[in-house]
Amino acid sequence: MTNPLQPNQLQLKHAIELKNVRKVYRIGKEKVVAIDDVSLTINKGDICCLLGTSGSGKSTLLNLMAGLEKPTKGTIEIHKIPIHKLNERQLTRFRQNHVGFIFQSYNLLPTLTALENVSLPLTFRNVPKKIREQRAFAMLKAVGLESYVLHKPSQMSGGQQQRVGIARAFVTKAPVIFADEPTGNLDSKTTNDVINLMLNIARENGQTMIIVTHDQQIATHANRVITISDGNILT
């Protein structure tokens, strides 16, 4: 029997495929269409930007692609794995092994050091502590924070916290990285540094990255821009 969490071992061209995806929320007696019949293919290694204003549906689309929400209709595959068919336990395992996340609000655990925050995803993979710490330190060094390994989030600036978040997302070498407004809380100079850092790591590792943003300037860094408005893809 085929394991739904294991992709076909043949060389895959597409990282993500959506077909006729629709997401409808019920608010009282009303239906709100957040995503309206979207079909989309993203190739392996693409740096793709989902561009749109607040309320356009871009974050909902990212959540659907990441398996954080279920579509009302349609199919979603990552590396040929039909994530729309997976139950919650399977989705959790899938995200642990295939996906990395970078958040606008950093989402670091305040009681943990930078090293502990970065090594956390490896804990869920049952990687031995010594190896976890070696990999976490190597990633913190890669993002320029080797002297901050024992600092907690409250002891770091916003830009430094986001670098920790980037290190955490990349430490497992997940094939797909999702970044939801990753520079929304940063100033313009730090934004540029953080975007370049993310893209350099993703390109070096051949990873697919999906960035959600409303910032046209950030979109210029991507090799593909998908504009979303009212739950529909415009380009």
Side-chain angles (χ1 to χ4, degrees), residues 30-137:
E30 293 187 24
K31 292 182 180 180
V32 177
V33 179
I35 299 296
D36 191 11
D37 198 36
V38 165
S39 294
L40 174 66
T41 299
I42 297 172
N43 291 333
K44 286 182 66 177
D46 269 358
I47 304 296
C48 181
C49 179
L50 302 181
L51 180 66
T53 58
S54 178
S56 62
K58 60 187 186 299
S59 289
T60 299
L61 186 57
L62 180 143
N63 288 341
L64 289 166
M65 288 192 287
L68 296 174
E69 295 189 47
K70 290 276 192 180
T72 304
K73 176 187 174 185
T75 64
I76 304 172
E77 294 185 352
I78 295 184
H79 293 170
K80 296 299 182 183
I81 299 172
I83 65 170
H84 61 284
K85 292 183 178 180
L86 303 183
N87 60 37
E88 287 305 314
R89 184 175 180 180
Q90 289 172 325
L91 279 169
T92 298
R93 285 180 55 206
F94 168 80
R95 287 191 291 266
Q96 288 172 356
N97 292 313
H98 296 274
V99 172
F101 292 95
I102 301 170
F103 303 95
Q104 176 179 349
S105 56
Y106 320 135
N107 283 20
L108 303 179
L109 295 180
T111 59
L112 301 185
T113 64
L115 188 71
E116 290 167 336
N117 267 289
V118 174
S119 65
L120 195 59
L122 297 172
T123 303
F124 298 127
R125 288 190 174 191
N126 296 317
V127 176
K129 182 178 180 181
K130 184 177 181 180
I131 297 175
R132 289 200 308 264
E133 292 181 346
Q134 288 173 345
R135 292 183 185 177
F137 180 80

Side-chain angles (χ1 to χ4, degrees), residues 109-181:
L109 295 180
T111 59
L112 301 185
T113 64
L115 188 71
E116 290 167 336
N117 267 289
V118 174
S119 65
L120 195 59
L122 297 172
T123 303
F124 298 127
R125 288 190 174 191
N126 296 317
V127 176
K129 182 178 180 181
K130 184 177 181 180
I131 297 175
R132 289 200 308 264
E133 292 181 346
Q134 288 173 345
R135 292 183 185 177
F137 180 80
M139 279 307 312
L140 285 167
K141 185 176 181 180
V143 300
L145 291 179
E146 63 266 35
S147 60
Y148 289 81
V149 292
L150 299 181
H151 285 59
K152 293 183 178 179
S154 62
Q155 299 170 309
M156 293 181 283
S157 68
Q160 289 167 339
Q161 289 182 62
Q162 190 58 294
R163 285 172 180 263
V164 174
I166 292 168
R168 180 185 57 193
F170 283 101
V171 74
T172 62
K173 296 187 177 180
V176 180
I177 303 293
F178 292 105
D180 192 1
E181 297 280 6

Side-chain angles (χ1 to χ4, degrees), residues 197-217:
L197 178 62
M198 288 192 306
L199 299 190
N200 287 341
I201 296 174
R203 285 170 175 149
E204 182 178 331
N205 294 330
Q207 291 162 296
T208 305
M209 174 172 274
I210 316 299
I211 304 171
V212 164
T213 187
H214 64 275
D215 190 333
Q216 293 274 0
Q217 186 60 36

Side-chain angles (χ1 to χ4, degrees), residues 14-26:
H14 303 314
I16 303 172
E17 295 180 82
L18 285 73
K19 293 181 181 178
N20 305 115
V21 171
R22 182 177 172 87
K23 180 64 179 180
V24 179
Y25 295 103
R26 289 185 178 273

